[in-house]
Amino acid sequence: MPSEKSTSSTNSVQASLSDISETSTLIYGQAPFSEYSSVVQKLCRQLWPSATEDFEIERLKGGGFNRIIGITAPDRVSQPHAQYILRIPRFEDTRPDRELAIHRYVQEHTSIPTAEIFFYDLTNENILAKPYVIQKRIPGDSLFQIYKTLDQERKRDIARQWGRILLEEQTITNDTSGVVEAIENKDGTHTYSVCPFDLDPALDDESIHEDIASDRTVLKMFVTQFSRWSACDLQLDPENIYAEETFAQLSDIVIEMDAAGFFEDKRFYLSHLDLEPRNVLIDTGHDDSRSISGVLDWDSAVFAPIFVSCMPPSWIWAWYDNETNEDEIEAKANETPEDPDRRELKQIFEETVGPAYLQYAYHPQYRLARKLFKLAKDGLRSCWANDFVQSLPEEWAEMKATLNLRNASTTSASDVLDEAEIGDSLGTDSHCKVVEEIQQDDQETGVNGSESPSTTKGVPAEGGDKYTKEKAPPPDWRQDKGVDGGTALDDSETDLQYCYRRISALQQSLVDIANERPPRRAEELERQRRATEAAAVAEREAARRNVALDIRRHSARSRIIMEDAEVKAGVLDGHGDGAHTQVTP
């Protein structure tokens, strides 16, 4: 890690250059290291009053949100660790309390190596006039700097360890999405809660924060966040029709994705969100082995849908230059490397995480879902976001065509916010249940004279997004009458694509099927038909009008609240107490 020690001797030219920090001094306008190190020295004397010698202060390379300084205590200071890291937020609206909460939460609930906290002050009432955190300095080198220098055996170890860390991260779940906060109890323990994602800090509108704690499905999380951001942007600019239409379009897409069965796992998982080699330290053992000694920068960690934490770490087997586009890297992650060593590393990682993880990592619908989550969390606050939403309709249309997905859902965003059970009426779970029961009846009544198919919903095949089929169903079952003109499963068609094609055909002939099946099946199919027809009543344009009216209602209420706030010449905190939910480890 690049550093400069304030106690080391340098020539006058080097000393003059060292006073200028390209990050702290030039970019963020903070005090140069030569001045700031003396203030840090005084802070150390306050925290370790028994010290009789000076502390060694190092300027380390900081990040975009924190200034980083190294501290080495003199030998006479009685502490379990002699080296520390001082983190000072660069911005006033930073939340060091959340950084502290997530670090403690990860330490208490996982074995993932993180930095131990020794001192902290979350106020400006200290000698630094800034909040700060002092934590253990974890031994090791940056994985980003040394990975390409490791031999194949060491890279194998890293691939396995990385996979185990990703899986352990996913053992921590919660009923709702959001960020972790903590309250310290009188006995020194902490009570953790998950709070909604932040919007614009300048806003304070109860309508934007209301009813968030009930977002207990992935679909409702998406739609609620898009609704919050739409109301937020309308409050900032009531004439911003672009944001209103964009978020309505995003809601339509996630509703279709949910109807296609892409959000079946409704839990929310702990996700680092920046788990990259630059945030991982590697330590060398006595036997020259390499192990992950620390995972850094948990500041942005959240509870999110499972696919968010399943970004494929393709750098393990295909290291790219910094100039390479991230979307391009992720799209190529499932390609099989030509080099045998790289191919081995990819295989080791995949065997470690298993097929369930790889499904979310490689399939294109989950690559798209990860981008949608960024928009749900951060809104249209970047050039990337605006470029993405421009190309999104075409990308989603191509994906639906590739997967043979129909426009199954006419559910509106307002229906979702009214807690309509979309999954029960239009979701893949219920449709697949119908198909499975029909197959069972086929066996019982002798229809087609074949057994039900056995397929593996496993890892995508090499070089693409297709499913690998271990055992194809008998052709006569897939050529049952009324199914897409009797066309059998094509070799290029996946099991998932076939399932949706068959479901679509079954919906078109539910009445005929009901007449052919026993009474029990007829009642079940009739119920499904009624549910589908009821959902189809809501036209898309009517749904858009409902969403627009709902958002305008929020905007009107927002303006009233803002006018009252201006009269009182004050602002509120931005989070209602009712928005907090208890963590369920």
Side-chain angles (χ1 to χ4, degrees), residues 147-415:
Y147 184 73
K148 291 195 293 184
T149 67
L150 300 178
D151 57 28
Q152 184 69 4
E153 182 180 355
R154 304 295 180 267
K155 289 181 178 179
R156 293 192 203 102
D157 294 338
I158 297 301
R160 294 188 185 95
Q161 293 176 47
W162 196 276
R164 288 194 288 267
I165 286 178
L166 291 174
L167 292 181
E168 182 171 4
E169 189 181 43
Q170 293 183 355
T171 62
I172 310 300
T173 64
N174 192 56
D175 292 336
T176 59
S177 62
V179 296
V180 176
E181 293 188 358
I183 298 175
E184 187 170 357
N185 303 317
K186 294 181 179 180
D187 59 358
T189 60
H190 298 84
T191 300
Y192 298 96
S193 60
V194 175
C195 307
F197 299 119
D198 293 328
L199 300 181
D200 194 307
L203 296 180
D204 178 28
D205 183 2
E206 291 182 1
S207 66
I208 296 178
H209 302 291
E210 65 183 2
D211 198 29
I212 301 171
S214 62
D215 299 339
R216 298 182 181 273
T217 68
V218 173
L219 174 61
K220 192 168 183 184
M221 180 276 296
F222 270 121
V223 174
T224 300
Q225 280 296 113
F226 291 147
S227 177
R228 293 177 70 211
W229 277 114
S230 181
C232 172
D233 289 344
L234 282 173
Q235 182 175 333
L236 292 172
D237 180 8
E239 304 300 323
N240 190 356
I241 304 300
Y242 167 76
E244 178 181 348
E245 294 179 347
T246 298
F247 286 115
Q249 183 182 57
L250 294 174
S251 294
D252 289 342
I253 291 176
V254 296
I255 289 172
E256 290 181 356
M257 295 182 75
D258 181 75
F262 297 152
F263 303 149
E264 291 181 349
D265 191 334
K266 304 184 186 305
R267 294 170 294 176
F268 298 94
Y269 296 76
L270 181 65
S271 303
H272 185 285
L273 292 191
D274 196 18
L275 192 54
E276 299 290 342
R278 63 178 176 271
N279 288 325
V280 174
L281 296 178
I282 302 296
D283 196 21
T284 304
H286 297 294
D287 56 352
D288 200 34
S289 62
R290 300 299 177 97
S291 61
I292 296 178
S293 56
V295 177
L296 311 177
D297 289 352
W298 287 86
D299 310 37
S300 57
V302 298
F303 278 97
I306 187 170
F307 51 79
V308 174
S309 61
C310 292
M311 176 83 73
S314 54
W315 56 267
I316 292 178
W317 58 86
W319 190 277
Y320 292 92
D321 295 330
N322 293 334
E323 292 79 10
T324 307
N325 183 275
E326 290 185 2
D327 292 340
E328 181 181 350
I329 293 174
E330 189 176 356
K332 294 181 178 180
N334 196 32
E335 295 181 357
T336 301
E338 296 181 0
D339 181 79
D341 288 343
R342 294 187 174 188
R343 188 161 58 247
E344 180 191 29
L345 294 175
K346 185 173 187 289
Q347 180 180 355
I348 289 174
F349 172 78
E350 291 178 344
E351 290 175 350
T352 302
V353 296
Y357 182 100
L358 299 177
Q359 172 182 328
Y360 294 112
Y362 292 149
H363 288 184
Q365 59 265 35
Y366 295 115
R367 292 203 303 268
L368 179 64
R370 282 189 281 272
K371 296 178 185 178
L372 289 169
F373 175 78
K374 289 182 181 179
L375 293 178
K377 178 178 175 293
D378 300 325
L380 303 175
R381 292 296 188 267
S382 66
C383 295
W384 167 87
N386 287 280
D387 292 342
F388 171 64
V389 296
Q390 293 295 329
S391 61
L392 179 59
E394 181 179 355
E395 182 177 352
W396 174 235
E398 292 178 355
M399 186 175 299
K400 287 195 294 184
T402 301
L403 299 177
N404 283 346
L405 299 180
R406 58 189 176 82
N407 293 323
S409 177
T410 55
T411 305
S412 68
S414 58
D415 293 333

Side-chain angles (χ1 to χ4, degrees), residues 383-533:
C383 295
W384 167 87
N386 287 280
D387 292 342
F388 171 64
V389 296
Q390 293 295 329
S391 61
L392 179 59
E394 181 179 355
E395 182 177 352
W396 174 235
E398 292 178 355
M399 186 175 299
K400 287 195 294 184
T402 301
L403 299 177
N404 283 346
L405 299 180
R406 58 189 176 82
N407 293 323
S409 177
T410 55
T411 305
S412 68
S414 58
D415 293 333
V416 177
L417 296 179
D418 289 338
E419 298 186 353
E421 295 296 333
I422 296 176
D424 290 341
S425 61
L426 291 174
T428 301
D429 287 345
S430 57
H431 288 314
C432 289
K433 182 178 180 182
V434 174
V435 174
E436 291 172 359
E437 292 181 357
I438 290 174
Q439 296 170 12
Q440 183 178 359
D441 288 341
D442 286 344
Q443 296 180 31
E444 294 174 354
T445 58
V447 176
N448 290 336
S450 62
E451 297 180 357
S452 60
S454 174
T455 60
T456 298
K457 187 180 179 182
V459 184
E462 295 180 358
D465 298 304
K466 307 291 186 183
Y467 281 94
T468 301
K469 299 181 284 296
E470 290 185 356
K471 183 180 178 182
D476 55 351
W477 179 79
R478 299 207 175 195
Q479 292 177 346
D480 194 9
K481 62 180 180 179
V483 182
D484 205 15
T487 303
L489 177 71
D490 185 77
D491 290 339
S492 63
E493 186 179 33
T494 68
D495 291 340
L496 183 62
Q497 292 168 356
Y498 172 78
C499 181
Y500 289 126
R501 179 162 60 83
R502 181 169 170 80
I503 289 171
S504 178
L506 286 173
Q507 286 182 324
Q508 296 174 10
S509 58
L510 280 174
V511 176
D512 294 338
I513 296 175
N515 293 332
E516 296 175 7
R517 303 296 176 185
R520 181 179 62 85
R521 288 298 314 128
E523 294 176 1
E524 175 68 16
L525 293 172
E526 177 63 19
R527 186 186 67 81
Q528 291 293 327
R529 185 186 65 79
R530 288 198 304 269
T532 302
E533 290 181 352

Side-chain angles (χ1 to χ4, degrees), residues 55-111:
F55 290 76
E56 189 176 278
I57 312 299
E58 299 176 66
R59 187 186 75 193
L60 304 178
K61 183 177 180 180
F65 296 96
N66 291 279
R67 185 173 193 172
I68 305 298
I69 293 178
I71 300 174
T72 301
D75 295 338
R76 295 184 181 180
V77 175
S78 177
Q79 288 291 333
H81 302 285
Q83 292 188 313
Y84 307 89
I85 293 293
L86 170 64
R87 297 167 60 91
I88 309 103
R90 297 192 186 279
F91 306 107
E92 295 296 332
D93 59 350
T94 306
R95 296 289 303 271
D97 58 322
R98 288 182 176 174
E99 175 188 344
L100 198 63
I102 188 61
H103 271 80
R104 285 172 167 165
Y105 184 80
V106 173
Q107 285 181 338
E108 292 179 14
H109 295 87
T110 75
S111 62

Side-chain angles (χ1 to χ4, degrees), residues 98-155:
R98 288 182 176 174
E99 175 188 344
L100 198 63
I102 188 61
H103 271 80
R104 285 172 167 165
Y105 184 80
V106 173
Q107 285 181 338
E108 292 179 14
H109 295 87
T110 75
S111 62
I112 299 174
T114 58
E116 184 180 356
I117 305 297
F118 282 88
F119 300 100
Y120 66 91
D121 187 340
L122 304 180
T123 72
N124 295 328
E125 305 298 324
N126 55 69
I127 195 170
L128 300 179
K130 287 269 191 177
Y132 68 84
V133 174
I134 294 181
Q135 62 192 44
K136 170 188 174 182
R137 185 169 183 174
I138 302 175
D141 300 307
S142 169
L143 179 59
F144 179 81
Q145 295 177 349
I146 70 168
Y147 184 73
K148 291 195 293 184
T149 67
L150 300 178
D151 57 28
Q152 184 69 4
E153 182 180 355
R154 304 295 180 267
K155 289 181 178 179

